[in-house]
């Protein structure tokens, strides 16, 4: 078995791994499939099976490899094909039905199937480059070009279940370097890099480590927070699924810096693939002597265990997370004492987020100054973001701090689908705020986002278009936070419920203007009075929408009008008598039997019976498009 | 630490919270989750303050003071925030009365409205005027609740002794913390979001999740969410009388809540109590209490006046002086009563007074709790729960117990002998200490365990529970001597120590023998129910020529009497008990004696006077005590010459060892505790604890009917799967009728399913 007893050993192992890695691209045809959760849910497994099946009877030597998420989630399943003497081509939308053509053209044939190619995966280790073809490099793809990939450096490139791949790409060299560096010097380096906690709060990582390093106590715990819970956030999942060793290496560096001997990864049980790949990575690291006793002959003992979270959003809050590890109900505690002094089992504890750890090896290898040169103001380096919602190219990206929201949405994300206009963007998930389209030139960094009332948060970015009702959006997020409140403190438990009640009243058209001031008063009390971050940030979606979209609230209240035609109680369906060809399909499909009409007679919807399910719109033949939705004053229509 | 709170300079020690510091300087900060003695929580958010240099509004109940801190407790922002938060809280709590302008002035409408099944406002609430919300509303200055009421109508959860009304719960978590701090952990938060509440695992009944019904949760609950059913409809008490619990020898202080000359309920006086002290004292209000003296006429006991009864008793007893007479009492009675019975027996009857429980040699509770190294035999969680709880925090706790008792679970070393071999383990420890070869054959404890623990015990306090037999007491006393440590023999009853000081244990065994042999012709039995505790005594007792019984109930023993005197209850008399360290503990009269009942000491004195004796003319219990304290010390029972019995070897044909142990819910012979309906409910079946593995192989599950069969006979019982018992051992609650199958506390039995 390969086991590195010191850094010389490690280099020996790395050389072997590098050779195997290089061989991957110079031998028989290599077919890589993006097999993170995004790919798998787009049927990547079936795609790979179909390719194997197609090739099975043909005596065509091919090797298969799984890779993590490259970030182009909108185009999943992604398949890369590398043939001898050819560059590695990345194809998008390779669903099982497409496989016969892919095999025919791109694997068996000599055609690179340019129409389906997203780009050439140019890697330093592959001789054949994009320049040989008329297909551009994948790194010039509009979604990837503006990115700087540090935390995601290996995602979508290596097999996440292979420590050798990680080593071949330079993995664990930062650990070897760190182990011969004084902990204090590492902390200085991390401080100098300007790295701040990527979990949301943005506390300077180096300072946090210093507190824990200086805390008294022989036992110190290091926790990796992988309890990513924001709806629409999948950055940490992708890192864990695509490059788990980058997180382990980061934890090892941190453990050395703070003097910890025990690490725990707290990962939510809803991430089964991440857990499985973490488990594999931990076993590999132990086998290679990178975890356990006397790591690389440095005298440092450190091991990591996994603790599965049971699905409570609040357990992403560090004190609740630690209570959960201890076997208690996940409920936050007040600080002080701070975890750095009395955290898990009342021992000094340092807790960082997955992405924070994934950045560390690059900082150690290339220096804090290099990292510090990226970014803007007090926000240094890069940030991974998950793009979701009304955007053409949804996926996972890593951008330098300071890039504007507009660049992200339009250059990287490709803008809004259809002819709709961008209404705004929600950053920071349910704890964040809604930034209106007028502020799209806001740079993405901790301070600028805070200035417009939102937060960076863990990095989820949900783009909304004019089809989204602002009141309904605020209601949606409040429903989430209200359900996920642990129940410990009054403002969060009851205040959010009362706020939700008012929002529901507005969506039903039953509110009056005084409700808006009540909502604002409640929101401020919840923000100022709550014990932990869950409660104190829960009003953010409400406060920011009230600030930027007040007229839409007023429109609901004063005119009973939901401009986006979302709020059911304020929206009605009508059949335009001029367009209706009395085909009767709507009447047949209506579950409430609300539509009546005779042959050759325009159909009519009985508003009292209508449950506003929208089935009629979806069945009305497109050439007629006779059914419309309206909000505001009701149209009087005779039955 | 020096800090400034609202421009007031405050000096407090480090570790104080900002809220405590404010309170010390007379600044009141509201708060509902904070409770003295419980861990800080910071959940209700009413005690928020502003502190210079700290962002936002930290909760003062969790914030430790820092040197030079500048705190503001009453800025407009804070006052407004507190009002908002309290308003939220009240929007899910019935709040009409709390913010009603006529609050507290609607008395005329109050009485009938109390009895509605659901609490809609303060006037209907069992904690009215004991509720922290009422105070807080005033302190915060909240005048109205504008938020819509969003409280849902949840089912009230009924448990023995108390109810949980989730509609009144404000989720302060005090009950959860109180339960955790008593190591029960029976309740916790359940669900999340607005559905969050307090409950048990899988919403099981409390008795199935480890609740011991100590009532700490009820004591700390700031609202009516947790309220005892006793006195639920009677309103608040007018005063609280501090007295001593009448059950075990822990001698806990309890508060008797009284209103209108009636006892409402027991309140904790800031200390830990157990179910008996907290909820078990209602026996004094049982309708079957004796109200008048009874005299046997034509074979039947009929009510009589005091004069007549005293005359009949005096005349009857006068015929049996000397050895044909005995007086039997117990440590249930006050020092004054015990002393006068003893004086009566010796001075008037020329005989002795004995008590079965006069074995107790203690030290002051504070010395016991502070002992570093403690060796415990006996299940204190059942017999002396509050002492047991305190001993959990001993630095080095060694427990000798065949069962995994509460203390065994908390111990640093647990020696688990075969039931009945406890004394032999103590002997083995003694031999190991003196470097002799410990003989461990058949004990169930191995030599390594003994050798490992022996050196840890030097100077240890050896604590023997009241459930231990004489052999254990003797072995323990010899062990304590060898260890140069102290011996603590916990008495059975609240005043076993008093009976022991009076030397009432010396002649007890002989007296009982004499009764069996028919040598005794007449007896005076006070505060003792031997006919229930030892059913085999019924026959000899009915054979007595003259029997006077003095009790609060018509007990099994009283039913055999010629004359029965009705005694006053523990809450109806002044007097003293002797604590384990010999200190005097007061018993204070909270209510008048029931009907014509009289204090024990007074009845005995009157009987003596009736018989023409002098020296029984006392002004009150104080003068009895003065005389008692002037007496020379009595000789104690001699343990030196006691020869330890050799325990019986288990016979081969029986599969299980059945051990009978005292239960928390049934005290002594159960004369008093069986009068409490909820205690009866908790002991409604003859539960027999079976190890899960044994249950599997026997094919029985919890609640199944089983038959226990010994050489002596068989009884029906109900199984309860429990990890407290090891394989091959069954535990049964000690009950008087176990003599059907066993003679001592341990016997061999076969088990089968009852079909």
């Amino acid at each position: 078995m390969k086991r590195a007893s010191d850094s010389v050993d490690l280099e020996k192992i790395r050389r072997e791994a590098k050779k195997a890695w290089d061989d991957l691209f110079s031998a028989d045809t290599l077919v890589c499939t993006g097999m993170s959760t995004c790919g798998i849910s787009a049927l990547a497994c079936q795609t790979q099976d179909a390719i194997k099946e197609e090739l099975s009877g043909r005596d065509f030597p091919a090797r298969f490899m799984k890779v993590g998420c490259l970030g182009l989630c909108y185009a999943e399943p992604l398949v890369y094909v590398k043939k001898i003497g050819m560059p590695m081509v990345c194809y998008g939308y390779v669903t099982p039905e497409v496989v016969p053509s892919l095999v025919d053209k791109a694997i068996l044939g000599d055609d690179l199937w340019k129409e389906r190619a997203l780009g050439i995966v140019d890697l330093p280790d592959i001789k054949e480059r994009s320049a040989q073809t008329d297909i551009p490099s994948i790194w010039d793809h509009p979604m990837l070009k503006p990115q700087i990939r540090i935390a995601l450096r290996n995602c979508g490139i290596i097999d996440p279940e292979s420590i050798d791949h990680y080593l071949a790409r330079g993995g664990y060299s930062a650990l070897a370097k760190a182990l011969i560096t004084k902990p204090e010097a590492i902390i200085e380096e991390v401080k100098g890099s300007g790295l701040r906690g990527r979990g949301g709060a943005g506390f300077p990582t180096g300072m946090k480590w210093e507190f824990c390093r200086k805390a008294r106590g022989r036992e110190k715990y290091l926790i990796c927070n992988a309890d990513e819970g924001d709806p629409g956030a999948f950055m940490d999942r992708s890192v864990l699924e695509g490059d788990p060793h980058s997180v382990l290496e980061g934890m090892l560096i941190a453990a050395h810096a703070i003097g910890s001997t025990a690490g725990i990864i707290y990962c939510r049980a809803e991430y089964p693939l991440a857990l499985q790949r973490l488990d594999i990575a931990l076993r590999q690291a132990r086998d290679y002597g990178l975890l356990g006793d006397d790591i690389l002959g440095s005298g440092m003992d450190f091991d990591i265990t996994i603790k599965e979270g049971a699905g409570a959003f609040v357990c992403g809050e560090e004190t609740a997370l630690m209570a959960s590890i201890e076997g208690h109900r996940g409920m936050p505690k007040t600080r002080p004492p701070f975890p750095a002094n009395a955290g898990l089992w009342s021992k000094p504890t340092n807790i960082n987020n997955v992405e924070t750890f994934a950045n560390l090896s690059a900082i150690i290898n290339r220096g804090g100054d290099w990292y510090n040169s990226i970014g803007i103001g007090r926000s240094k380096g890069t940030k991974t973001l998950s793009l979701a919602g009304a955007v053409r190219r949804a996926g996972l990206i890593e951008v330098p701090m300071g890039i504007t929201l507009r660049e992200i949405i339009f250059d990287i994300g490709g803008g809004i689908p259809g002819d709709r206009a961008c209404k705004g963007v929600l950053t920071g998930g349910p704890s964040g705020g809604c930034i209106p389209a007028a502020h799209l030139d806001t740079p993405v960094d901790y301070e600028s986002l805070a200035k417009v009332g939102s937060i960076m948060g863990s990095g989820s970015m949900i783009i909304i278009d004019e089809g989204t009702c602002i009141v309904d959006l605020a209601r949606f997020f409040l429903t989430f936070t209200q359900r996920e409140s642990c129940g410990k403190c009054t403002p969060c438990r009851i205040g959010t419920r009362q706020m939700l009640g008012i929002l529901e009243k507005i969506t039903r058209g039953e509110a009056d203007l005084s409700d808006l001031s009540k909502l604002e008063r409640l929101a401020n009390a919840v923000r100022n009075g709550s014990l932990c971050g869950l409660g104190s940030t829960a009003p953010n979606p409400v406060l920011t929408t009230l600030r930027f979209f007040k007229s839409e609230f007023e429109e609901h209240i004063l005119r009973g009008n939901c401009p986006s035609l979302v709020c059911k109680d304020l929206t009605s369906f009508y059949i335009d008598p001029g367009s209706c060809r009395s085909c009767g399909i709507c009447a047949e499909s209506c579950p409430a039997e609300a539509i009546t009409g005779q042959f050759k007679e325009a159909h009519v919807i009985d508003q009292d019976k209508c449950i506003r399910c929208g089935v009629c719109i979806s069945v009305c033949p497109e050439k007629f498009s006779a059914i419309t939705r309206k909000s505001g004053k009701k149209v009087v229509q005779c039955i | 630490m020096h800090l400034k709170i609202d421009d007031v300079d405050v000096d407090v020690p480090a570790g104080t919270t900002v809220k405590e510091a404010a309170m010390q300087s007379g600044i009141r900060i509201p708060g509902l989750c904070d409770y003295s003695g419980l861990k800080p929580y910071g959940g209700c958010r009413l005690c928020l303050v502003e502190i210079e240099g700290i962002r936002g509004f930290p909760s003062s109940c969790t914030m430790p003071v820092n040197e030079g801190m500048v705190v503001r407790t009453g800025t407009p922002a804070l006052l407004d925030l507190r009002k908002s938060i309290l308003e939220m809280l009240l929007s899910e709590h019935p709040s009409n009365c709390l913010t009603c302008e006529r609050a507290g002035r609607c008395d005329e409408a109050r009485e009938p409205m109390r009895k509605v099944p659901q609490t809609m406002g303060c006037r209907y609430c069992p904690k009215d005027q004991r509720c922290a919300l009422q105070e807080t509303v005033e302190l915060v200055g909240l005048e109205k609740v504008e938020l819509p009421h969003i409280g849902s109508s949840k089912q009230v959860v009924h448990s023995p002794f108390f109810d949980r009304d989730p509609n009144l719960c404000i989720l302060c978590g005090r009950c959860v913390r109180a339960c955790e701090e008593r190591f029960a952990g029976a309740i916790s938060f359940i669900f999340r979001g607005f559905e969050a509440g307090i409950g048990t695992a899988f919403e099981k009944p409390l008795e199935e999740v480890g609740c011991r019904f100590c009532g700490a949760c009820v004591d700390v609950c700031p609202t009516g969410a947790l309220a005892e059913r006793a006195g639920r409809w009677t309103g608040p008490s007018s005063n609280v009388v501090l007295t001593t619990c009448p059950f075990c020898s822990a001698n806990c202080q309890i508060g008797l809540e009284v209103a209108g000359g009636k006892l409402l309920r027991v309140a904790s006086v800031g200390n830990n109590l157990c179910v008996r002290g907290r909820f078990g004292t209602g026996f004094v209000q049982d309708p079957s209490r004796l109200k008048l003296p009874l005299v046997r006429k034509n074979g039947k006991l009929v009510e009589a006046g005091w004069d007549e009864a005293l005359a009949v008793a005096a005349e009857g007893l006068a015929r049996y002086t000397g050895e044909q007479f005995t007086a039997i009492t117990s440590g249930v009675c006050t020092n004054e009563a015990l002393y006068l019975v003893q004086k009566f027996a010796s001075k008037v009857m020329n005989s002795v007074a004995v008590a079965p429980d006069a074995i107790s040699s203690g030290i002051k509770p504070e010395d016991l709790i502070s002992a570093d190294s403690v060796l415990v035999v006996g299940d204190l969680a059942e017999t002396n729960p509050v002492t047991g709880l305190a001993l959990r925090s001993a630095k080095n706790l060694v427990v000798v117990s065949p069962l995994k008792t509460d203390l065994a679970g908390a111990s640093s070393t647990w020696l688990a002998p075969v039931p009945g071999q406890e004394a032999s383990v103590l002997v083995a420890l003694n031999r190991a200490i003196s470097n002799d070869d410990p003989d461990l054959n058949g004990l169930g404890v191995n030599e390594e365990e003994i050798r490992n623990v022996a050196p840890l015990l030097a100077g240890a306090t050896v604590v023997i529970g009241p459930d231990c037999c004489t052999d254990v007491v003797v072995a323990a006393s010899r062990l304590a001597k060898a260890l140069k440590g102290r011996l603590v023999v916990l008495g059975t009853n609240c005043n076993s120590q008093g009976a022991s000081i009076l030397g009432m244990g010396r002649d007890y065994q002989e007296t009982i023998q004499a009764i069996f042999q028919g040598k005794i012709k007449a007896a005076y039995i006070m505060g003792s129910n031997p006919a229930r505790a030892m059913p085999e005594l019924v026959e000899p007792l009915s054979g007595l020529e003259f029997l006077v019984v003095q009790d609060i109930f018509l007990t099994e023993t009283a039913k055999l009497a010629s004359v029965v005197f009705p005694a006053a209850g523990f809450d109806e008399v002044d007097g003293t008990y002797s604590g384990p360290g010999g200190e005097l503990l007061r018993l204070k009269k909270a209510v008048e004696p029931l009907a014509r009942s009289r204090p024990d000491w007074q009845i005995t004195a009157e009987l003596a006077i009736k018989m023409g004796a002098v020296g029984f003319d006392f002004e009150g219990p104080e003068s009895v005590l003065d005389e008692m304290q002037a007496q020379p010390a009595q000789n104690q029972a001699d343990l030196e010459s006691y020869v330890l019995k050799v325990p019986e070897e288990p016979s081969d044909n029986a599969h299980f060892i059945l051990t009978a142990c005292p239960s928390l819910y049934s005290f002594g012979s159960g004369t008093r505790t069986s009068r409490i309906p909820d205690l009866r409910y908790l002991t409604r079946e003859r539960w027999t604890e079976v190890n899960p593995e044994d249950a599997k192989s026997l094919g029985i599950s919890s609640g199944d009917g089983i038959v226990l069969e010994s050489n002596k006979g068989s009884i029906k019982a109900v199984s309860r799967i429990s990890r407290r018992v090891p394989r091959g051992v069954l535990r049964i609650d000690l009950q008087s009728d176990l003599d059907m199958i066993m003679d001592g506390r341990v016997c061999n039995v076969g088990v089968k399913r009852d079909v």
Side-chain angles (χ1 to χ4, degrees), chain A residues 464-476:
Chain A
I464 55 170
D465 63 12
E466 52 192 12
T468 304
C469 168
I470 279 301
V471 184
D472 187 63
L473 182 79
R475 185 195 59 79
F476 169 81

Side-chain angles (χ1 to χ4, degrees), chain B residues 156-436:
Chain B
V156 174
V157 183
H158 299 285
S159 315
F161 313 110
F162 51 85
D163 297 327
R164 175 183 292 279
D165 185 347
N167 305 304
L168 303 182
C169 177
I170 56 165
L171 260 82
C172 64
R174 284 187 192 176
C175 54
V176 174
R177 280 172 286 153
C179 195
E180 270 169 15
E181 268 156 51
R182 281 153 191 82
F183 305 99
I187 46 171
S188 182
F189 288 84
I190 53 172
F191 305 124
R192 64 181 102 156
F194 192 67
E195 300 301 312
I198 311 285
T200 58
F202 312 110
E203 297 179 86
K204 284 186 176 180
L206 276 175
E207 58 266 35
E208 287 178 29
V209 293
C211 175
R212 314 277 287 163
F213 300 99
C214 70
C217 54
V218 180
D219 289 332
V220 298
C221 179
T223 72
L226 279 169
E228 54 280 83
R229 272 194 298 281
R232 184 178 175 91
W233 309 119
T234 51
S237 60
S238 53
N239 66 319
V240 179
V241 178
L242 185 71
T243 189
T244 307
C245 177
F247 288 105
C248 80
S249 55
N251 297 122
C252 302
Q253 296 300 293
I254 55 175
L256 300 178
E257 285 195 37
V258 177
K262 283 176 95 174
L263 179 63
L264 303 185
R265 61 193 151 244
V266 166
S268 154
V269 286
N271 51 350
N272 286 330
L273 292 179
C274 77
V275 60
R276 299 189 296 241
R278 185 69 172 76
F279 299 114
T281 55
F283 64 87
V284 288
Q285 290 164 309
D286 192 89
S288 67
R289 273 279 301 274
L290 287 172
K291 297 177 186 69
L292 282 167
L294 305 174
V295 173
R296 193 168 293 276
K297 284 180 186 163
N298 302 324
K300 277 179 79 178
L301 283 170
V302 293
E303 291 185 343
W306 271 106
D307 278 346
E308 184 191 352
L310 284 168
V312 174
E315 194 198 323
L317 289 178
R319 285 181 268 138
Y320 302 100
T321 53
E323 282 189 354
Q324 5 171 30
F325 170 84
T326 191
I328 303 176
T329 181
S330 78
V332 170
C333 301
T334 60
N335 282 326
E336 293 74 11
L338 292 176
Y339 171 69
L340 280 192
V341 160
Q342 189 178 49
K343 185 173 177 185
F344 175 82
S346 68
K347 296 274 151 59
V348 183
M349 302 301 292
N350 197 20
S351 180
V352 291
V354 297
D357 60 329
I359 308 169
S360 170
S361 72
I363 53 175
K364 286 208 168 104
E366 52 269 32
D367 292 339
L368 177 57
I369 290 161
S370 60
D372 277 350
S373 194
V374 182
L375 181 133
V376 177
V377 193
D379 192 352
L380 301 192
E382 303 282 345
T383 59
N384 295 51
V386 176
T387 313
L389 187 63
L391 283 178
R392 289 184 67 121
S393 42
K395 277 192 209 108
N396 178 30
L397 178 64
V398 179
V399 172
V400 178
S401 166
L403 307 184
K404 191 177 182 188
T405 58
D406 189 54
L407 274 183
S411 65
S412 36
T413 310
W414 171 31
L415 301 174
V418 172
Q421 300 284 6
E422 293 89 337
S424 312
V425 169
L426 299 183
V427 172
L429 275 171
N430 206 343
R431 292 175 69 91
I433 285 154
S434 28
N435 291 320
D436 279 348

Side-chain angles (χ1 to χ4, degrees), chain A residues 311-312 329 331 334 336 482-485 487-491 493-495 497-498 521-522 525 528-531, chain B residues 41-45 57 59 62-64 80-81 84 88-89 91-92 147-148 150 170-171 189-194:
Chain A
R329 177 182 163 98
M331 280 173 125
T334 52
Q482 183 263 320
R483 271 196 205 141
E484 289 294 339
S485 166
K488 178 167 178 172
C489 77
T490 315
R493 177 169 56 90
I494 308 175
R497 175 72 174 202
Q498 288 283 8
R521 183 177 147 84
L522 272 168
N528 292 328
S530 290
L531 193 161
Chain B
Y41 187 65
C44 76
R45 316 305 287 167
F57 303 91
S59 47
T62 57
M63 178 61 74
D80 189 52
L81 186 54
S84 292
M88 290 176 199
L89 206 64
S91 74
E92 64 156 9
L147 294 171
I150 51 170
I170 56 165
L171 260 82
F189 288 84
I190 53 172
F191 305 124
R192 64 181 102 156
F194 192 67

